[in-house]
């Protein structure tokens, strides 16, 4: 079976040089290995994603000379698949509803931090400080019936008991030079949110479900997602999904060494194209020339 690669941007801004690097690496790997390249539009965040950004993704990738298979998978059209995965985790008793608002969580964190440092996840966000896990079944039913919004959180301790000793095969490199068989540490993320009352999925859940449904065998993506791979491996095992290989790549940075953002105009592909930069020069700029 030929290897399957994917580029999976979110249409919440215009693509920049960092996206070009990731997309070109995927495209080149697919060509070198006789593999397939899929494009997936990760548009579950309805408040931030826009159709014009999606159109721009197709235009910019085609301009770079990248070809991908159709149809493109758009996550917003597959909520039933993610819902089914949540049901599976719920049947394993690994999910619980947490009813605190963002503001309430911030207050709880501040209260905990008053007593000393409170742990943060690898992205720097405080771990969930609440105790919704210990609400009684009656209390949960009452709160859900009252219509309060809630998030579905993974009971990380219980999940790690079911799937201990996980690792993944890193073909690229982590931020600290990690490569080869890397031990997974999903507990560093605490009780992550996997769905919400109004959106029955999350980045972690949909990426894992889609990579499996699309048969992706090698995931080529930026090092900013290296540590999230621990959560992805855990979900793959809990859901009985196959294990892909991972190839995390260095991030393209601006002159000041900062990670590129979708709003930084000087590195936007549209701006570069308007300034007369060619796709061949884009390759050189990201070190693939
Ligand atoms: N949609 C994610 C992003 O734009 C990438 C997901 C992934 O490659 O796993 O950052």
């Amino acid at each position: 079976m030929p290897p399957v690669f994917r580029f999976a941007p979110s249409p919440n801004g215009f693509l920049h040089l960092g996206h070009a690097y990731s997309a070109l690496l995927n495209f080149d790997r697919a060509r070198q290995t006789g593999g397939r390249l899929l494009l997936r539009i990760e548009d579950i965040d309805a408040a931030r994603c826009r159709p014009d950004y999606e159109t721009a993704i197709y235009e910019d990738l085609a301009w770079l000379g990248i070809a991908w298979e159709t149809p493109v998978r758009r996550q917003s059209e597959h909520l039933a698949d993610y819902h089914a995965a949540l049901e599976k985790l719920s049947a394993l008793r690994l999910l619980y509803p947490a009813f605190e608002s963002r503001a309430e969580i911030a207050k709880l964190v501040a209260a905990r931090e008053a007593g000393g440092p409170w742990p943060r996840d690898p992205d720097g966000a405080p771990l969930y400080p609440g105790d919704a896990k210990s609400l009684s079944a009656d209390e949960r039913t009452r709160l859900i019936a009252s219509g309060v919004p809630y998030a579905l959180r993974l009971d990380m301790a219980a999940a790690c008991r079911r799937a201990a000793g996980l690792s993944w095969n890193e073909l690229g490199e982590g931020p600290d030079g990690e490569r080869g068989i890397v031990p997974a540490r999903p507990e560093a993320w605490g009780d992550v949110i996997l769905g919400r009352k109004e959106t029955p999925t999350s980045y972690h859940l949909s990426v894992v479900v889609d990579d499996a449904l699309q048969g992706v065998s090698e995931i080529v993506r930026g090092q900013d997602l290296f540590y999230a791979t621990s959560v992805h491996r855990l979900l793959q095992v809990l859901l009985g999904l196959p294990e892909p290989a991972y190839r995390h790549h260095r991030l393209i940075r601006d002159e000041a060494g900062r990670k590129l953002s979708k709003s930084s105009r000087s590195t936007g592909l549209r701006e570069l194209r308007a300034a007369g930069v060619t796709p061949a020069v884009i390759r050189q700029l990201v070190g693939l020339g």
Side-chain angles (χ1 to χ4, degrees):
M1 287 244 282
V4 181
F5 300 84
R6 51 61 162 188
F7 178 58
S10 297
N12 55 13
F14 293 112
L15 300 187
H16 53 56
L17 279 178
H19 298 105
Y21 182 50
S22 207
L24 287 166
L25 274 180
N26 271 290
F27 178 59
D28 290 356
R29 283 282 303 148
R31 270 204 314 201
Q32 286 155 7
T33 59
R36 300 165 51 202
L37 176 61
L38 311 179
L39 173 62
R40 186 165 75 226
I41 300 294
E42 302 215 321
D43 60 348
I44 52 172
D45 184 352
R48 294 178 63 219
C49 293
R50 287 187 358 206
D52 54 324
Y53 290 140
E54 184 178 330
T55 309
I57 288 172
Y58 302 135
E59 284 172 10
D60 292 349
L61 294 179
W63 173 71
L64 283 173
I66 291 174
W68 59 90
E69 285 184 16
T70 51
V72 167
R73 184 174 170 94
R74 299 167 81 227
Q75 291 188 323
S76 58
E77 293 168 353
H78 298 278
L79 296 184
D81 290 330
Y82 315 129
H83 188 255
L86 283 179
E87 294 278 288
K88 219 168 166 176
L89 295 172
S90 176
L92 295 172
R93 302 191 161 280
L94 295 176
L95 296 182
Y96 65 88
F99 300 90
E100 299 92 346
S101 65
R102 286 199 169 90
E104 283 163 347
I105 289 188
K107 258 186 157 165
L108 283 172
V109 170
R112 304 262 184 177
E113 282 180 337
W118 180 251
R120 294 187 170 243
D121 71 24
D123 283 347
L127 300 198
Y128 172 61
D131 51 13
K133 191 164 98 172
S134 51
L135 287 178
S136 69
D138 280 358
E139 189 66 356
R140 273 180 198 162
T141 313
R142 188 188 68 73
L143 284 164
I144 291 175
S146 76
V148 197
Y150 56 87
L152 286 170
R153 290 187 176 267
L154 181 67
D155 179 343
M156 186 57 85
C160 287
R161 281 195 296 274
R162 275 193 89 92
L166 299 179
S167 60
W168 76 88
N169 185 14
E170 178 61 53
L171 304 173
E173 199 172 77
D176 286 322
E178 303 93 333
R179 53 173 67 230
I181 304 301
V182 176
R185 290 197 59 239
E187 64 280 4
W189 293 89
D191 288 1
V192 284
I193 294 178
L194 293 186
R196 292 183 189 275
K197 183 186 173 196
E198 64 286 3
T199 317
T201 191
S202 60
Y203 161 64
H204 294 309
L205 186 74
S206 37
V207 87
V208 160
V209 167
D210 284 352
D211 285 333
L213 279 173
Q214 297 189 284
V216 176
S217 55
E218 185 177 318
I219 294 175
V220 179
R221 64 183 180 190
Q223 278 174 350
D224 50 339
L225 294 169
F226 180 81
Y227 296 111
T229 309
S230 286
V231 178
H232 301 173
R233 282 295 298 127
L234 177 63
L235 292 176
Q236 284 157 4
V237 170
L238 296 173
L239 293 167
L241 304 175
E243 175 182 357
Y246 288 86
R247 186 183 293 274
H248 290 94
H249 59 73
R250 69 184 166 83
L251 298 178
I252 305 288
R253 300 191 178 270
D254 66 12
E255 300 81 24
R258 285 180 303 245
K259 208 181 124 180
L260 302 184
S261 84
K262 281 185 168 144
S263 53
S264 58
R265 305 191 73 86
S266 59
T267 51
L269 295 183
R270 318 222 109 195
E271 282 80 8
L272 291 165
R273 180 169 62 181
V277 174
T278 64
V281 170
I282 299 280
R283 272 192 176 269
Q284 284 166 11
L285 287 173
V286 297
L288 290 173

